[in-house]
Amino acid sequence: MSKFLKNERIVNITIPVLAAVLGLVAGAIIMLLGGYDPMIGYGALLDGMIGSSKSIGEVIRAMSPLILAGIAVAFAFKTGLFNIGVEGQLLVGWLASVWVGYALDLPKVIHLPLAILAAAVAGAIWGFIPGLLKARLKVHEVIVTIMMNYIALYVTSAVIKTFLYAGNEKSYNIKESASLASPFLASITDNSRLHLGIIVALLAAFIMWFLLNKTAKGYELRAVGFNQHASQYAGMSVARNIALSMAISGAFAGLAGAMEGLGTFQNMNSLSAFTGTGFDGIAVALLGGNTAVGIILASALFGGLKTAAPEMNFMADVPSELIDIVIALIIFFVASSYIIRWFFNRLGKEGK
């Protein structure tokens, strides 16, 4: 047992898994207290996640923006920053991708990459602004990004109603040449909304891992996150790396918006409230341990919980809002990792 506990990698894997299990157990207890059968409730939830090819397709579809939102949060965190503005960066990326997808008439081989790139650039600009303020004026990025979420929400809504309004609170649909939709993926998943965005998301996860762990610039970014004073003493530009980190984080968040605009919906709604995906990215990053592989696995869990919640309500009469409680509990247990580590350490001492 002591050898097991001394392996830091195993402990880092065990804590998120245990947090997820404890969250589900706590959810079951809440169901019992509310007079619901947790076996029936979770059975319906599991059926909604993997009970059919369409369910699986919808879970994978939901994973795409969650992976990218989680990567956006994790990338900033790895470099010592807390990007709460993923939701706003996602919205401006969504708008940019839809605008390019609607306004231009190009071959698909050019149009689709250009629309995806537009989303990344828009998100990067939205992330660069708080990064620059942090770097130059020492303004805390949490405050600025929270405010910029609201700016993004109302600005994107105003832009849609002014320039792209097609009625019914929606923008014009993008052209087929800019679409991530895949008839093949839809056909093998019983006409789900699964699209090619999952490839973009997985590629982005690889890019994050490679950039942070296999490049000199990634080492520099992480060094600034660990200790700004030591990095500056070593000759690194702390201000430039802070701004760059927030811009890259924003680019990943913008791509999450492209998954919705070019893939799931093919347009953008004039929103009056946040989508929540950007904030879910914080939970995904926490549960995934801010690692690329962990984020992919965490997004599968969160995507499944989100898409299958209505099934639990329909089949077992359990309120779908319970899933939000389960997710909150999972986050709580991840945030309480110190207690879990303390428990493991106690086990290790007793096992000697």
Side-chain angles (χ1 to χ4, degrees), residues 80-323:
L81 300 166
F82 200 1
N83 185 5
I84 304 293
V86 172
E87 180 74 17
Q89 294 147 19
L90 179 152
L91 291 175
V92 297
W94 187 345
L95 177 62
S97 67
V98 168
W99 198 329
V100 171
Y102 162 73
L104 301 182
D105 190 6
L106 298 167
K108 191 178 186 74
V109 69
I110 299 175
H111 201 181
L112 178 56
L114 189 62
I116 293 173
L117 179 62
V121 171
I125 293 172
W126 214 253
F128 176 76
I129 295 171
L132 183 64
L133 292 173
K134 168 82 170 183
R136 298 298 183 188
L137 303 176
K138 308 300 180 184
V139 181
H140 204 290
E141 71 277 7
V142 170
I143 302 300
V144 180
T145 50
I146 288 174
M147 292 190 294
M148 291 193 69
N149 282 337
Y150 287 94
I151 296 172
L153 175 65
Y154 297 121
V155 167
T156 53
S157 179
V159 169
I160 289 172
K161 290 186 174 180
T162 304
F163 300 105
L164 299 171
Y165 196 60
N168 198 25
E169 300 300 313
K170 294 181 179 180
S171 73
Y172 294 110
N173 286 342
I174 62 171
K175 293 184 172 65
E176 187 178 348
S177 56
S179 175
L180 284 168
S182 170
F184 171 73
L185 293 177
S187 66
I188 64 174
T189 55
D190 194 22
N191 291 320
S192 74
R193 294 177 293 173
L194 179 60
H195 52 78
L196 296 172
I198 188 62
I199 298 175
V200 177
L202 294 176
L203 181 61
F206 173 78
I207 291 172
M208 173 204 170
W209 169 82
F210 185 83
L211 178 59
L212 286 176
N213 297 287
K214 299 296 180 180
T215 66
K217 177 52 69 175
Y219 175 82
E220 189 173 326
L221 288 169
R222 287 188 292 116
V224 170
F226 282 127
N227 192 317
Q228 292 186 8
H229 298 294
S231 300
Q232 190 169 13
Y233 182 77
M236 300 176 188
S237 174
V238 172
R240 183 170 64 245
N241 281 293
I242 287 175
L244 177 62
S245 174
M246 285 297 292
I248 295 174
S249 175
F252 285 128
L255 288 175
M259 299 303 98
E260 304 289 57
L262 305 180
T264 303
F265 299 106
Q266 308 285 305
N267 56 34
M268 183 176 185
N269 290 332
S270 177
L271 299 171
S272 58
F274 293 122
T275 67
T277 302
F279 300 117
D280 289 339
I282 300 173
V284 169
L286 283 173
L287 185 60
N290 295 308
T291 64
V293 174
I295 287 169
I296 293 171
L297 296 176
S299 69
L301 173 63
F302 278 66
L305 291 174
K306 289 286 187 178
T307 57
E311 188 75 11
M312 187 174 70
N313 178 242
F314 180 74
M315 298 296 295
D317 199 31
V318 177
S320 56
E321 289 79 8
L322 181 68
I323 293 301

